[in-house]
Amino acid sequence: MGAGYLFLAAALWGLLGPVARLAFQEGLSPLEVAFYRAVLAWPLFLFHALRLRRIRVEGRDLPWILLFGLVGVSLFYGAYQLAVGRAGAALASILLYTAPAWVALFSRLFLREPLGPRGGVALALTLLGVGLIGWGGEARPDPLGIAFGLLAGFSYALYYLFGKVFLPRYATPTLFAYLLPVGALGLLPFLKPHPLSLLALGAVGFLALFSTYGAYLAYYAGLRRMPATRASVLATLEPVVAAGVAYLWWGERLPPWGYLGAGLILLAVLLTLAPQRPR
């Protein structure tokens, strides 16, 4: 069940870049897409938390949760959309998946989770696959686009630690009922008021409903059922989905070794799913 939830989350997140490009085409800037994604997803999480009657958080946790709203929403959403706008949907998703290396380091240092031989091999295959996918793609290697993608990967990695610390005490909708409005306020200065076309509204609405609300519920449901490092490797199906959809929809192509990289990522996913022999 944990793997199934994570696969669903990865597939929904893989659509972030291709659908965002549709909004860009309708005149929205990357930071505006990030803003509308947070604003439209917030009522969904708020209503869910109210329905669960789990809207309150402890006073000692509130400052950390609000601070993470700036890091996990303003910074992460904004950096990722800027990477999509400058480097393309496929390459942005690939750069995002430098996150497993950060997660492995964070989990070892702060959560005391052992990596193990199989986890080490899977992580190495994942990073090699990500490197092969990103090597020589048709998207021009815009330095700022690469920088924004790496920044998105770093801030994305922090979600694993945040979830491990706060999920035992709070439901996912409760946390995002606080994170999203703070994150939207952080993006508000970059908003340029102008009318949204129906297509742009549909695109950001899809990102809010499916690639944010649905994906986070599935992701944290999976994270509850397995260690953070293993979860991070399973979620790397996202760049494979993003690259495939970007190719079919927007014509973003990868070189042959890029598709080899996608195969290595899938191999790493299968490796983490294989049952472990008891000692």
Side-chain angles (χ1 to χ4, degrees):
M1 287 297 296
Y5 283 126
L6 285 164
F7 284 148
L8 175 60
L12 292 173
W13 279 330
L15 296 174
L16 274 169
V19 175
R21 285 195 58 177
L22 191 62
F24 299 160
Q25 204 173 51
E26 292 297 302
L28 291 181
S29 71
L31 293 180
E32 286 177 317
V33 171
F35 171 81
Y36 285 117
R37 177 189 173 194
V39 164
L40 295 177
W42 175 56
L44 301 174
F45 286 105
L46 179 62
F47 177 76
H48 195 156
L50 290 171
R51 187 174 180 181
L52 293 174
R53 298 181 180 179
R54 298 182 64 180
I55 193 63
R56 293 184 180 181
V57 299
E58 296 181 19
R60 62 188 175 91
D61 294 331
L62 185 59
W64 295 105
I65 293 173
L66 296 181
L67 177 63
F68 191 75
L70 295 175
V71 176
V73 177
S74 301
L75 180 63
F76 173 47
Y77 287 16
Y80 185 72
Q81 295 300 338
L82 286 167
V84 171
R86 301 188 71 99
L91 189 55
S93 183
I94 292 156
L95 292 170
L96 180 65
Y97 274 83
T98 56
W102 293 108
V103 171
L105 178 62
F106 293 159
S107 299
R108 182 68 178 173
L109 293 177
F110 301 111
L111 301 180
R112 305 302 181 190
E113 292 181 358
L115 187 59
R118 180 179 294 183
V121 172
L123 182 59
L125 287 174
T126 299
L127 296 178
L128 178 60
V130 168
L132 286 172
I133 290 177
W135 181 28
E138 287 191 354
R140 295 182 179 180
D142 180 89
L144 275 178
I146 293 174
F148 285 131
L150 293 174
L151 182 60
F154 174 79
S155 52
Y156 173 47
L158 297 178
Y159 268 95
Y160 293 92
L161 284 182
F162 179 80
K164 279 295 182 181
V165 172
F166 289 101
L167 273 179
R169 301 199 296 275
Y170 304 109
T172 301
T174 305
L175 293 173
F176 278 91
Y178 289 88
L179 295 177
L180 289 172
V182 174
L185 286 175
L187 292 165
L188 185 60
F190 303 99
L191 185 66
K192 298 177 181 178
H194 54 77
L196 298 181
S197 69
L198 288 178
L199 190 55
L201 186 59
V204 293
F206 179 93
L207 296 180
L209 177 59
F210 294 103
S211 296
T212 305
Y213 179 68
Y216 279 126
L217 290 184
Y219 165 70
Y220 279 117
L223 188 59
R224 284 191 182 97
R225 292 165 170 82
M226 60 181 57
T229 302
R230 188 173 179 225
S232 70
V233 176
L234 289 174
T236 51
L237 186 65
E238 179 186 340
V240 180
V241 174
V245 175
Y247 170 75
L248 293 173
W249 194 351
W250 296 106
E252 294 184 17
R253 291 176 175 82
L254 297 174
W257 48 85
Y259 295 105
L260 174 62
L264 291 179
I265 291 175
L266 290 175
L267 179 61
V269 171
L270 293 175
L271 184 62
T272 61
L273 284 175
Q276 302 215 9
R277 295 180 180 179
R279 293 184 179 180

